[in-house]
Amino acid sequence: MTSERPAVVHVTCCPDGPFLVRGADVIRDEDGVDHATHRPVVAVCRCGKSTRKPWCDGMHKLLPRTPPTPRAATGE
Amino acid sequence: MRAPLPRGPVSAQVLSWLKGRVAPDVPHVRRLLQEPSADIICDEDRQLTLWTLYELHYTGFDDIGAGWEWSPECLAVRRVLETEFEHHMRASTRDTVRAVCARAGGVAERLFALVLEDDSPSLGRYIQRQADRSEAVEFLIHRSIYNLKEADAHTWAIPRLTGAAKVALVELQYDEYGTGNLDRLHSQMFADTLRACGLDSSVGAYIDEVPAVTLSLNNGLTMFGLHRRLTAAAMGHLAAFEASSSQPSRQVARGLRRLGFPEPAAAYFDEHVEADAVHEQVATRNICEVLVTQDPRRSEDVFFGAAAGIYLDARVAGYVLNAWATGRSALLPELPAPDVLGA
């Protein structure tokens, strides 16, 4: 790894899921606490239910979806 | 690692070849395999043979020459076993794959739905709430077969992917392999977990104790990884695997703490709560979704790989929970000495 800072931070919003953040060194949470990133891409909680905030822990999958997305069309 | 003990006539034959005791005789093994297995997932002889032949492509055995990896005789036996095993996996997942292919929505969304709708019994929940120490130890032993070479089978897909899907898989695998840090190498973290629980962390230490059903989980994954024609299935498997990991990992970490195992025991599972919440997004959206966009014909195999992973996982959970529910061990009794089987 070089000591150069990444020029760009990429943030991707996953539908019904977290923000995927690439290129960030630190995520600052709502209380102003800094959390260093330890992996090349991190998932930041967007639903508020994570038990490991600010990181996503998949809890959003247990929540009812909002807004409801069309699914369960069963072909023919 | 030393070669495993044979579990029946086929593995006895093949292990005798590999150890140089008898000359390879493929027609003989074909005859032994003529009758289809009653249940190939729980067929000790077949799964152990396939696992042994596959292990030649990983780190192999101390007592078997590396040259066997590409021997035509081994590949011929592998082919017979793989054909039967793949047929079983496709037949067992056909309805699920058809339904998910016919469904509306993006590939990632449908992969998540497939995982979410799986209602098979949960090993994670049992470990969290009910398991005793010996059951937790057995669980770790079952997991050790895969977790000590975690991520390796999916790495075979890298040279077979192109463009954005390749970039995404390498990004995911770099995290699996510790992002340049040995302490964070996932297989190394699992070895630390085993040691913290007083278990042997060397690769293959428990191979003779683990039943066919757990070998089948590993063999399915290796089959997808080794065959280029199954690359999309390997990536679907990866997506389902990652998307069904965060919650069980949280449950297992809680269970190990409840049972009073030392803190390092749970660290591997803590890491997977967080890592797999990232990986499931990368695998579904940046790999599988992209693969299908690159070539829509791949969608069926992406869903097949996912459904097969879920199916094999459910077979393992069913076997293990059933053994524990009836007061039995979920590991094998001591295997007979090789000479009993003519190896």
Side-chain angles (χ1 to χ4, degrees):
Chain A
M1 298 290 284
T2 68
S3 58
E4 288 169 41
R5 294 179 62 81
V8 185
V9 173
H10 290 270
V11 181
T12 310
C13 179
C14 301
D16 292 312
F19 288 119
L20 282 187
V21 182
R22 293 178 170 88
D25 294 330
V26 166
I27 300 291
R28 183 165 297 160
D29 69 19
E30 56 201 21
D31 300 321
V33 179
D34 285 349
H35 301 265
T37 63
H38 295 292
R39 56 186 83 251
V41 49
V42 293
V44 176
C45 174
R46 214 156 61 92
C47 73
K49 300 294 181 197
S50 173
T51 59
R52 297 178 71 82
K53 273 186 257 182
W55 315 122
C56 169
D57 69 351
M59 285 297 270
H60 59 268
K61 289 187 282 185
L62 305 178
L63 302 175
R65 289 177 175 211
T66 49
T69 40
R71 47 186 279 235
T74 47
E76 285 91 307
Chain B
M1 150 176 43
R2 310 273 308 165
L5 292 169
R7 300 186 185 183
V10 177
S11 48
Q13 261 294 309
V14 171
L15 280 159
S16 294
W17 303 355
L18 300 178
K19 292 185 168 190
R21 292 192 188 126
V22 298
D25 181 353
V26 174
H28 176 56
V29 172
R30 273 192 214 281
R31 280 194 297 278
L32 291 172
L33 290 169
Q34 220 158 29
E35 284 298 308
S37 178
D39 177 9
I40 194 166
I41 302 299
C42 286
D43 188 316
E44 298 293 340
D45 196 25
R46 279 169 162 83
Q47 292 295 345
L48 193 265
T49 306
L50 191 53
W51 183 87
T52 303
L53 292 171
Y54 279 156
E55 183 54 36
L56 300 172
H57 298 278
Y58 291 97
T59 51
F61 305 98
D62 302 337
D63 48 348
I64 290 174
W68 284 105
E69 181 184 359
W70 298 107
S71 98
E73 294 88 356
C74 287
L75 297 181
V77 173
R78 226 182 75 180
R79 171 106 181 145
V80 176
L81 293 166
E82 286 175 333
T83 302
E84 190 180 357
F85 185 28
E86 184 179 346
H87 181 265
H88 175 90
M89 286 195 287
R90 289 204 184 263
S92 305
T93 57
R94 186 162 295 133
D95 293 347
T96 309
V97 172
R98 269 199 198 133
V100 73
C101 283
R103 202 177 243 191
V107 171
E109 184 187 6
R110 285 184 283 165
L111 283 166
F112 279 123
L114 200 57
V115 170
L116 212 58
E117 287 158 12
D118 169 41
D119 56 1
S120 51
S122 161
L123 262 176
R125 195 183 310 128
Y126 186 88
I127 298 291
Q128 178 184 352
R129 297 180 186 167
Q130 283 169 268
D132 61 26
R133 282 179 75 97
S134 74
E135 288 166 340
V137 162
E138 287 196 358
F139 167 78
L140 294 173
I141 288 173
H142 277 267
R143 288 284 297 261
S144 71
I145 306 302
Y146 172 69
N147 290 113
L148 290 175
K149 51 185 172 203
E150 186 164 341
D152 287 346
H154 294 123
T155 300
W156 279 313
I158 293 172
R160 297 156 184 172
L161 297 180
T162 57
K166 178 178 237 157
V167 169
L169 178 58
V170 172
E171 180 182 57
L172 193 161
Q173 295 296 82
Y174 183 57
D175 203 25
E176 292 281 344
Y177 289 134
T179 61
N181 182 348
L182 177 62
D183 294 339
R184 297 185 65 82
L185 176 66
H186 284 184
S187 53
Q188 182 75 31
M189 292 181 75
F190 193 77
D192 295 341
T193 291
L194 290 175
R195 279 192 298 273
C197 296
L199 292 165
D200 188 339
S201 63
S202 50
V203 173
Y206 296 104
I207 192 61
D208 292 328
E209 296 178 42
V210 168
V213 67
T214 290
L215 300 181
S216 82
L217 186 77
N218 288 268
N219 288 339
L221 171 55
T222 303
M223 188 197 298
F224 294 160
L226 279 178
H227 291 269
R228 181 166 55 86
R229 72 179 171 85
L230 294 172
T231 301
M235 295 299 94
H237 180 284
L238 173 66
F241 205 62
E242 300 289 358
S244 55
S245 170
S246 285
Q247 200 194 349
S249 294
R250 181 171 47 240
Q251 292 168 328
V252 172
R254 285 184 183 158
L256 294 177
R257 291 195 170 97
R258 170 179 66 78
L259 290 164
F261 285 103
E263 196 51 26
Y268 168 90
F269 294 97
D270 287 339
E271 159 66 7
H272 281 72
V273 174
E274 212 173 284
D276 294 345
V278 180
H279 296 174
E280 67 183 9
Q281 300 297 338
V282 174
T284 54
R285 298 177 198 287
N286 303 143
I287 301 174
C288 291
E289 192 97 52
V290 169
L291 265 185
V292 174
T293 307
Q294 288 171 341
D295 182 353
R297 288 171 302 179
R298 288 166 169 159
S299 80
E300 187 174 334
D301 260 4
V302 164
F303 292 125
F304 164 58
I310 293 167
Y311 167 73
L312 294 174
D313 219 31
R315 290 291 305 262
V316 172
Y319 179 96
V320 171
L321 290 171
N322 183 51
W324 291 344
T326 51
R328 289 176 293 123
S329 162
L331 297 174
L332 293 180
E334 201 171 325
L335 292 167
D339 54 344
V340 176
L341 294 160

